[in-house]
Amino acid sequence: MTEDSASKFCNFIDAHPRFFKSPKDWFLENWHVVEAFERQALRLIGMNREHYSARTIVEVLRHHSVLNDTSDAFKINDHNAPDLARAFVVLHPEHVDFWEYRRPDSIAFKGMFTQKENTRREVP
């Protein structure tokens, strides 16, 4: 991810903060987590997975962080998983259907990234 990605995401969260429980500052302070989440999600998509769990990716990141004993600690908990999935969609809207959405505002969020097909009704 580039600085442009962080800027793109920050612009989105500034315009639509209601879609995120984590504050923008959390994302900026933990951008390495967003990048690691993105890498794992893109890897899974590259393996032809149609859907995956954001919480499972978070657990994998935690696990690898402990094994690698990195000084770059992952400040992440289960409550961040839905926000990380949404951040991924902001950066990769073509993968909006990779996640299952459960929050009450999910229809509105998903609708921002889903192109509606132009359908016509046949008149009998």
Side-chain angles (χ1 to χ4, degrees):
M1 244 187 301
T2 64
E3 193 172 311
D4 289 340
S5 297
S7 177
K8 176 182 177 180
F9 176 74
C10 287
N11 289 339
F12 184 88
I13 201 169
D14 284 342
H16 307 285
R18 69 186 175 118
F19 291 126
F20 298 89
K21 289 187 178 183
S22 303
K24 180 172 82 171
D25 289 344
W26 181 89
F27 290 99
L28 294 174
E29 291 168 12
N30 296 284
W31 196 251
H32 62 286
V33 175
V34 177
E35 290 175 327
F37 186 92
E38 177 191 40
R39 280 191 302 274
Q40 291 298 319
L42 288 173
R43 184 175 175 207
L44 291 160
I45 290 166
M47 296 169 65
N48 296 320
R49 294 294 303 237
E50 292 183 21
H51 300 284
Y52 206 75
S53 165
R55 291 189 196 286
T56 301
I57 293 175
V58 166
E59 292 301 327
V60 167
L61 294 177
R62 282 183 185 157
H63 177 74
H64 287 280
S65 172
V66 170
L67 288 180
N68 294 331
D69 192 29
T70 62
S71 60
D72 209 12
F74 276 46
K75 296 176 186 173
I76 186 170
N77 64 46
D78 289 343
H79 301 289
N80 297 118
D83 283 345
L84 287 166
R86 288 174 179 227
F88 179 82
V89 169
V90 171
L91 301 173
H92 300 278
E94 68 276 17
H95 299 300
V96 68
D97 293 322
F98 191 63
W99 316 105
E100 183 176 321
Y101 301 88
R102 297 184 180 168
R103 293 201 310 221
D105 62 357
S106 295
I107 294 171
F109 176 79
K110 192 174 176 183
M112 295 181 75
F113 300 97
T114 305
Q115 291 184 352
K116 295 184 173 128
E117 293 181 18
N118 187 7
T119 57
R120 294 183 186 175
R121 285 189 174 171
E122 294 285 328
V123 178

